Amino acid sequence: MLEKIFKLSQNNTTIKAEMIAGFSTFLAMVYIVVVNPQILSQTGMDYGAVFVATCLAAAFGTAMMGLLSNYPIALAPGMGLNAFFTFGVVLGMGYSWQIALGCIFWSGILFLLLSLFKTRKWIINSIPQSLKYAISVGIGMFLAMIALQNSGIIVANNATIVGLGDIGSSESLLAMAGFFIITALFIRQIPGAIIIGIISISILALILGKIEYQGIISTPPSILPTFAQLDITAAFDLALLPVIFAFLFVDLFDTSGTLIAVADKANLLDEKGQLPRVEKALLADSSATVVGSLFGTSSTTSYIESAAGVVSGGRTGLTSMTTAVLFLLVLFLSPLAAMIPAYATAPALLFVAVLMMSSFNHIIWSDLSESAPSVITAIMMPLTFSIAEGIAMGFISFTVIKLLSGKVSELNISVYIITLLFSLKYLFI
């Protein structure tokens, strides 16, 4: 049955190799079941319910990817998107988490339609490459700021807006130690570097009496506080259109980049460098976002950590199915997840930020009409505490600079349309 579904021999793999690969992917990304509830619960969402929603969304999305596309790619609520959900939309703009979930739902529906009507390729190819990289960098900066804030390393300052916190405090020292551990383990190519770092700091905090032992295994918490609590009607508002587009664009770019990167490492691209069955992969991703919003979590997207499974030999959807089953088993470890403090997960955020900011290497610095809008895009995200504002400022600056510098031929209709929409938002909303 497994041979028929996943075509194991055709992909030169075995059941054992696929299961080992699935476990490797799981170790590389299981940190999200701890980090995501900590971020989303700051909106007032129930921590236990978000923990369950995270596990279920990851399991559903990953299983869908495995069954529909037969790719060894895992999904879970995306880093950066969860931060924008909490700090940008709810705490920043003042909307309820129910409305924010409604925005996730509509962004997922749009993504689903783009996948069904095969317009994704046109949209992605028409968006300036430099802005795609800049968005990744900006989200990295945004995550870094949140990580440093959660660990007490930076604090609010009335005179300078932001200042250095008490870096001699135990929380700050433990956070810095966690970042060093994760980075060192990653450099040594040790699987599960992020989760090992989080658990190590949590154990140190337990020894130092900073946290209390609450157990390890229990029945899963109730998902009812967040299940189907999204406000779809209120989210269908013109004022929230930039927010929905921000969720859509980031998910679209992140998913596309991840699919290509992981598939390339697994030698799954065709002779033209394109990904076969890409529509099915995108269908799985967009469906997971819609279902995830119903469970009660932010956008579910493909994870670059899937490369850990590919390196371990994963080549088919059986790798994804293994990872999905493991996410379901994590449901019974909720006491362990609830015990982990914010300063233990802050290093994970900072490390992911470092990885994302490496995209600045791809910016064409010799062309100011490309580099200037890229810098504006990236830097406006942490400074406005909003991914949406960064994307909007990036598109507007890109279009205006290209027009004024006489490079009209480098603009296309989709860039004009998106720039116009963002401009109207600032002028009339």
Side-chain angles (χ1 to χ4, degrees):
M1 181 184 69
L2 293 177
E3 170 63 35
K4 183 178 180 180
I5 296 174
F6 300 110
K7 300 177 175 61
L8 300 178
S9 58
Q10 182 179 324
N11 287 279
N12 195 29
T13 186
T14 64
I15 294 176
K16 180 180 179 181
E18 293 293 296
M19 294 183 71
I20 292 174
F23 185 67
S24 298
T25 296
F26 173 76
L27 281 180
M29 61 183 290
V30 68
Y31 66 88
I32 193 61
V33 305
V34 176
V35 178
N36 197 52
Q38 286 193 352
I39 292 177
L40 297 192
S41 62
Q42 295 182 56
T43 66
M45 299 176 74
D46 181 80
Y47 182 96
V50 176
F51 169 79
V52 174
T54 302
C55 294
L56 292 179
F60 174 82
T62 304
M64 284 285 287
M65 181 65 75
L67 291 173
L68 287 180
S69 69
N70 197 27
Y71 285 137
I73 295 172
L75 290 80
M79 295 292 291
L81 287 163
N82 52 11
F84 176 49
F85 179 99
T86 297
F87 302 104
V89 181
V90 179
L91 300 182
M93 301 173 70
Y95 291 103
S96 68
W97 59 264
Q98 290 90 342
I99 293 177
L101 283 177
C103 291
I104 297 293
F105 173 84
W106 287 117
S107 72
I109 291 295
L110 288 174
F111 195 176
L112 188 62
L113 292 174
L114 291 176
S115 303
L116 290 173
F117 291 106
K118 301 181 180 180
T119 53
R120 173 207 63 91
K121 185 176 181 179
W122 175 79
I123 291 178
I124 290 180
N125 290 340
S126 61
I127 301 302
Q129 194 72 13
S130 58
L131 290 189
K132 296 177 190 176
Y133 293 129
I135 290 171
S136 178
V137 173
I139 295 174
M141 291 181 176
F142 190 41
L143 287 177
M145 191 169 184
I146 294 169
L148 295 172
Q149 185 181 42
N150 287 348
S151 57
I153 295 175
I154 61 171
V155 295
N157 186 299
N158 291 331
T160 61
I161 302 178
V162 65
L164 185 65
D166 181 10
I167 59 173
S169 67
S170 57
E171 290 81 3
S172 295
L173 291 174
L174 286 170
M176 287 189 285
F179 177 71
F180 297 149
I181 290 171
I182 291 172
T183 305
L185 291 176
F186 190 84
I187 292 172
R188 291 176 175 272
Q189 299 183 341
I190 296 177
I194 294 179
I195 193 64
I196 291 173
I198 292 175
I199 292 176
S200 298
I201 298 305
S202 299
I203 291 174
L204 281 174
L206 183 63
I207 294 173
L208 295 173
K210 304 292 295 182
I211 58 175
E212 294 183 5
Y213 179 73
Q214 300 177 22
I216 297 178
I217 299 176
S218 75
T219 54
S222 172
I223 196 178
L224 292 180
T226 61
F227 182 72
Q229 296 300 311
L230 68 170
D231 193 335
I232 298 175
T233 305
F236 200 68
D237 186 331
L238 186 61
L240 284 168
L241 195 59
V243 172
I244 295 173
F245 277 147
F247 281 127
L248 172 63
F249 286 149
V250 174
D251 195 3
L252 190 63
F253 299 153
D254 189 44
T255 296
S256 300
T258 298
L259 288 174
I260 296 299
V262 175
D264 182 44
K265 190 174 287 290
N267 296 317
L268 296 174
L269 300 179
D270 61 22
E271 60 278 0
K272 296 181 180 179
Q274 297 180 343
L275 184 64
R277 308 186 302 281
V278 65
E279 287 80 13
K280 292 182 178 180
L282 291 170
L283 186 61
D285 197 297
S286 54
S287 299
T289 292
V290 174
V291 173
S293 69
L294 295 173
F295 287 148
T297 185
S298 52
S299 302
T300 303
T301 188
S302 301
Y303 261 58
I304 194 63
E305 284 86 349
S306 302
V310 169
V311 171
S312 299
R315 292 295 180 271
T316 73
L318 184 55
T319 293
S320 299
M321 294 303 297
T322 303
T323 305
V325 171
L326 291 171
F327 270 117
L328 291 178
L329 294 178
V330 171
L331 284 168
F332 299 94
L333 301 178
S334 59
L336 180 62
M339 193 166 54
I340 295 174
Y343 53 81
T345 55
L349 291 177
L350 187 58
F351 180 73
V352 172
V354 170
L355 297 181
M356 296 185 75
M357 281 189 272
S358 65
S359 292
F360 248 158
N361 289 332
H362 304 293
I363 302 296
I364 305 174
W365 293 102
S366 58
D367 185 352
L368 274 174
S369 67
E370 296 283 334
S371 60
S374 298
V375 171
I376 290 173
T377 302
I379 203 168
M380 288 300 289
M381 288 187 188
L383 294 184
T384 61
F385 231 65
S386 171
I387 293 173
E389 304 299 349
I391 294 174
M393 293 293 185
F395 270 97
I396 293 172
S397 61
F398 184 88
T399 303
V400 173
I401 290 174
K402 289 289 185 182
L403 286 173
L404 295 179
S405 59
K407 297 187 176 184
V408 181
S409 61
E410 297 179 19
L411 296 170
N412 56 60
I413 186 64
S414 62
V415 173
Y416 281 122
I417 292 173
I418 295 171
T419 299
L420 179 62
L421 290 173
F422 282 135
S423 299
L424 290 174
K425 175 231 178 189
Y426 287 121
L427 290 172
F428 300 108
I429 297 178

